[in-house]
Amino acid sequence: MFGEMIQGLFSIFQPDLFFPILLGVAFGQVIGILPGIGGLAALAILLPIVYGMEPLKGLTLLVATHASCNTGGQITAILLNIPGNTANAATMFDGFPMTQQGKAGRALGAGLCAPLFGGILGALVLLALIPVVRPIVLAFGSPETFFLALFAISYVGVLSQGSMIKGLICGGMGIMLALFGFNSITGEARYSFGSVYLLDGVRLVPLVLGLFAIPETADMFTMGDLTAKGVPISMTNMRKDILEGAKDVFRHWWLFLRCSAIGVWVGILPGAGSETAPFLAYAHAKQTSKHPEKFGQGSIEGVIGPGCAINSKEGGDLLPTLAFGIPGSAAMAVLLGGFIVLGLEPGPLFLKQHLGLATSLVSTIVVSNILAVLMLLPLLSRHLVKIAYLPGHILGPMVLAFCLIGAYATDCNMLDVIWMLAFGVLGYVMKEFKYNRPTLVLGFIMGEMMEKSFNISYDAYGLGFVLKPIALTLFILTILGLSWDWIKKLPFLRRDKT
Amino acid sequence: MKPRTIFLMVVSAAVVLLLGLSFKYQFRAALFPWIFGSLTLFLCLLQIYREMTVKIPVEEKEDIPGERPSFKAHAEGIAWILGSLPVIYILGFSIGLTAYCFLYFKLHGEKWLRSTWLSLMVGGFVYGGFQVALRVQLYPGLLFSILDWGS
């Protein structure tokens, strides 16, 4: 086993595998800097491109892109107060005030080195957990998989921003969309409406592009000018200041370790939403700081804390995705789609059958994080940052062109483009009315797996599969999670009554 | 009635349609649609009831404080996005997307030169990256199919 792991770790250093990583990191940087387009959209755009590629090459391209997106977003968050991704927003709180105080270099140094070391730590934790998690994972059969998927959807729904009911509606919508097409047991074509296209069900790429990339593009079309408006940046002494910022990460090594651990943990939790990790880390950094009053006014700890968590979550995120086939975040749900597109099925057997591939993804995260910083420091940051000054009316049509060709290229079918635009309208409305789009994608991806697991479990055990210990525990946890809002209101659990 | 309630009603109607259709299928094929369709419908109706009777907390409302684009801007943006489809349908991907981008840049105040090179860059990326490098058979467009230029 360890031989296979070590072989996997070093497999990416072959020239034909290193090129996709390099390409992914460069693409990730550009996407990270573009305001409004996050790692999620980057993965969605790349999904049709990796279609048909060799699995390891395709996956290294996807993982490298995703691993480096957040690092690129740190630059615009610090220099221009524009987060490249949602997760970078936590860096803005203290990064931009530092820029205003003439400490841009120091903030950039800390803001780029914290994700670098956080990302490496997260990957090492993932590597350490792979052998441990394997026996646990093998205890997961079809009944457990069914209930785990149910648990994940309900958990994501419950944790949705705003309303639990709205989150669960999205999960239900996703499951219903997954039921389109041929049923594997009876062979019946469900909801085809006489269309040959729908016999194969709803396609993942148009769905993801429509739900996530199109609404962001629509914002660029409607808002017009999304990007930066001439914030003066002093580039003098940049290198020295950047080095000083990097040293700050080591000076606050205990904060770095704690915030990285928060990132890993939030990443592992299915449905906690990896975007929350940097905010939790920021809150923790403020709570534990000797100078909490300086937070929000240019505190270096306020840059280091979220910076660590922003990339350490990637390692944690990958663990449930690889081991259980349960994505920890929306981006991982899309990555899971990438696995499926490449003919791989993450889940209980994945680590047994593709251990080398799993460990090569760990080294991809490490190498991508290093490359991302090497590309950005110090020279490229000056040039890449100019993309953030592109007005929305220039970025919008270009991103739309990416989406249109991306949707078409998967199957060379114009109907995919039409479906993508239809899902785009749905995504736009859902975004406007604050419906949780990642839950819909999660429900869509889990739906088919749930039905398959249910049918296998029912055929093997009858309805008794519900009583298997792990399955029953997960079922109880699902019920508890769904009813937690009511349970916490019970008189004996209310603190204010005591 | 509020737009968000209308949206929920549309979702509910779609779920009712899917539930109705599932009665035609065999038990094993209809089981999942019944279970999850009923649950989704129940949740939609519950949310409609909440929105019509209960005061929704601020964080659940869709209105974000601050400057919001007007309805006209929304409609215009969506019309531009949906308008890309007929352009591609008639002119195909390479030429259609180049023309679409050029038109958009020019109508939004960009200079001739910048509009031209930016839209040519998009067209070049689509043609070079997908048709040449990835060997994707791009849709040639209705016009060029009729004229038999696509192949």
Side-chain angles (χ1 to χ4, degrees):
Chain A
M1 183 177 83
F2 286 104
E4 199 183 341
M5 282 178 76
I6 290 165
Q7 198 182 350
L9 276 175
F10 291 99
S11 65
I12 62 155
F13 295 102
Q14 301 160 28
D16 61 330
L17 279 177
F18 201 71
F19 180 68
I21 295 177
L22 208 62
L23 199 70
V25 171
F27 182 64
Q29 301 294 337
V30 176
I31 290 288
I33 283 172
L34 291 176
I37 312 170
L40 192 64
L43 288 179
I45 289 167
L46 281 180
L47 223 50
I49 294 172
V50 299
Y51 187 76
M53 277 173 89
E54 195 187 308
L56 186 55
K57 278 184 196 169
L59 282 179
T60 47
L61 177 65
L62 290 175
V63 171
T65 305
H66 189 246
S68 53
C69 264
N70 292 328
T71 312
Q74 291 282 86
I75 293 189
T76 45
I78 289 168
L79 294 179
L80 309 164
N81 212 21
I82 301 166
N85 303 311
T86 319
N88 297 115
T91 308
M92 284 166 23
F93 302 153
D94 281 278
F96 189 64
M98 283 185 77
T99 301
Q100 288 174 313
Q101 291 161 17
K103 297 176 191 168
R106 197 172 163 193
L108 274 175
L112 293 179
C113 284
L116 163 67
F117 296 118
I120 293 172
L121 194 80
L124 294 177
V125 171
L126 170 67
L127 185 68
L129 286 178
I130 281 176
V132 184
V133 85
R134 205 172 164 183
I136 304 166
V137 163
L138 291 178
F140 272 71
S142 291
E144 290 82 7
T145 308
F146 170 74
F147 281 109
L148 190 65
L150 193 67
F151 172 68
I153 295 169
S154 60
Y155 199 72
V156 176
V158 169
L159 288 177
S160 296
Q161 194 187 15
S163 160
M164 179 180 93
I165 298 173
K166 282 161 85 173
L168 292 174
I169 288 172
C170 295
M173 283 164 72
I175 294 174
M176 290 305 282
L177 283 172
L179 299 176
F180 279 55
F182 279 116
N183 175 252
S184 56
I185 298 287
T186 63
E188 279 175 283
R190 292 181 297 197
Y191 312 131
S192 65
F193 301 99
S195 153
V196 179
Y197 175 85
L198 282 176
L199 289 177
D200 277 342
V202 174
R203 314 293 203 273
L204 179 71
V205 174
L207 177 79
V208 172
L209 278 175
L211 283 179
F212 293 99
I214 294 292
E216 307 305 339
T217 315
D219 274 351
M220 291 177 190
F221 276 86
T222 46
M223 306 251 196
D225 213 335
L226 271 182
T227 40
K229 284 180 182 172
V231 180
I233 304 158
S234 165
M235 288 291 179
T236 51
N237 292 328
M238 198 61 132
R239 278 188 189 178
K240 197 178 156 192
D241 288 348
I242 285 172
L243 192 68
E244 197 60 32
K247 283 180 188 170
D248 278 326
V249 180
F250 293 101
R251 285 188 197 114
H252 296 90
W253 64 273
W254 182 228
L255 176 72
F256 158 74
L257 283 178
R258 281 179 288 137
C259 289
S260 297
I262 289 172
V264 173
W265 180 243
V266 174
I268 289 174
L269 285 177
S274 55
E275 284 84 9
T276 56
F279 294 93
L280 286 174
Y282 182 83
H284 173 76
K286 189 177 176 180
Q287 275 170 355
T288 54
S289 172
K290 286 175 186 168
H291 304 286
E293 74 283 354
K294 288 185 180 170
F295 275 70
Q297 291 167 19
S299 166
I300 194 75
E301 291 169 86
V303 177
I304 295 169
C308 302
I310 219 165
N311 272 358
S312 69
K313 68 180 169 54
E314 302 303 335
D317 244 359
L318 258 181
L319 190 70
T321 312
L322 294 177
F324 300 102
I326 305 289
S329 64
M332 285 297 128
V334 180
L335 186 69
L336 196 66
F339 276 85
I340 295 163
V341 161
L342 290 164
L344 296 164
E345 194 176 348
L349 285 176
F350 183 81
L351 291 180
K352 192 178 178 186
Q353 292 167 344
H354 305 285
L355 186 64
L357 182 63
T359 48
S360 61
L361 294 183
V362 174
S363 45
T364 303
I365 295 178
V366 174
V367 171
S368 306
N369 276 298
I370 296 168
L371 281 176
V373 174
L374 285 178
M375 276 185 182
L376 289 170
L377 282 176
L379 195 67
L380 284 178
S381 58
R382 292 187 188 188
H383 302 290
L384 282 174
V385 86
K386 286 175 187 166
I387 298 172
Y389 285 89
L390 282 174
H393 75 264
I394 286 182
L395 269 182
M398 289 171 136
V399 176
L400 180 69
F402 254 116
C403 297
L404 291 165
I405 192 72
Y408 175 81
T410 319
D411 278 336
C412 293
N413 193 338
M414 275 303 283
L415 284 171
D416 281 337
V417 178
I418 296 170
W419 275 93
M420 181 199 69
L421 291 173
F423 284 127
V425 175
L426 176 70
Y428 189 74
V429 175
M430 286 177 78
K431 191 183 171 194
E432 282 296 305
F433 297 156
K434 290 201 169 182
Y435 278 84
N436 192 285
R437 292 168 290 159
T439 320
L440 194 152
V441 175
L442 190 67
F444 180 76
I445 289 175
M446 296 286 127
E448 199 183 340
M449 189 176 92
M450 275 171 72
E451 195 179 27
K452 204 164 97 183
S453 309
F454 177 86
N455 283 324
I456 294 170
S457 308
Y458 184 76
D459 289 340
Y461 308 100
L463 283 175
F465 78 87
V466 181
L467 299 172
K468 286 180 75 83
I470 299 174
L472 189 63
T473 311
L474 288 165
F475 185 52
I476 292 168
L477 284 174
T478 307
I479 301 292
L480 280 176
L482 288 173
S483 48
W484 182 245
D485 264 3
W486 291 283
I487 292 172
K488 70 183 178 189
K489 284 175 192 163
L490 290 172
F492 57 90
L493 286 175
R494 287 173 66 169
R495 282 183 192 172
D496 54 338
K497 291 277 177 188
T498 55
Chain B
M1 197 177 287
K2 289 168 186 167
R4 60 167 184 257
T5 316
I6 296 170
F7 170 68
L8 270 170
M9 285 180 165
V10 172
V11 174
S12 306
V15 176
V16 168
L17 174 72
L18 296 180
L19 269 173
L21 287 171
S22 64
F23 280 98
K24 290 194 293 185
Y25 310 137
Q26 293 175 40
F27 175 73
R28 291 292 287 273
L31 187 63
F32 255 60
W34 285 343
I35 296 171
F36 289 99
S38 310
L39 281 171
T40 311
L41 182 63
F42 169 73
L43 290 166
C44 285
L45 295 176
L46 189 68
Q47 184 66 15
I48 291 171
Y49 172 76
R50 276 185 80 216
E51 288 186 0
M52 292 179 112
T53 56
V54 185
K55 197 178 175 187
I56 303 289
V58 177
E59 68 267 20
E60 280 186 42
K61 286 187 180 174
E62 71 273 22
D63 306 310
I64 302 160
E67 204 176 305
R68 301 278 297 147
S70 62
F71 176 77
K72 194 187 160 203
H74 275 289
E76 202 177 298
I78 291 181
W80 266 105
I81 288 176
L82 296 179
S84 63
L85 188 64
V87 175
I88 293 169
Y89 183 70
I90 295 166
L91 295 174
F93 273 99
S94 305
I95 295 173
L97 284 176
T98 311
Y100 174 84
C101 288
F102 179 79
L103 197 67
Y104 190 86
F105 295 145
K106 200 71 207 77
L107 289 176
H108 285 79
E110 280 303 321
K111 289 178 181 166
W112 281 98
L113 189 66
R114 199 175 188 193
S115 302
T116 308
W117 75 259
L118 277 173
S119 44
L120 281 176
M121 204 171 76
V122 172
F125 171 77
V126 170
Y127 184 77
F130 284 83
Q131 179 123 6
V132 178
L134 294 170
R135 291 176 190 171
V136 173
Q137 194 60 48
L138 293 178
Y139 173 67
L142 189 67
L143 184 67
F144 300 109
S145 297
I146 293 167
L147 297 171
D148 203 23
W149 289 357
S151 53

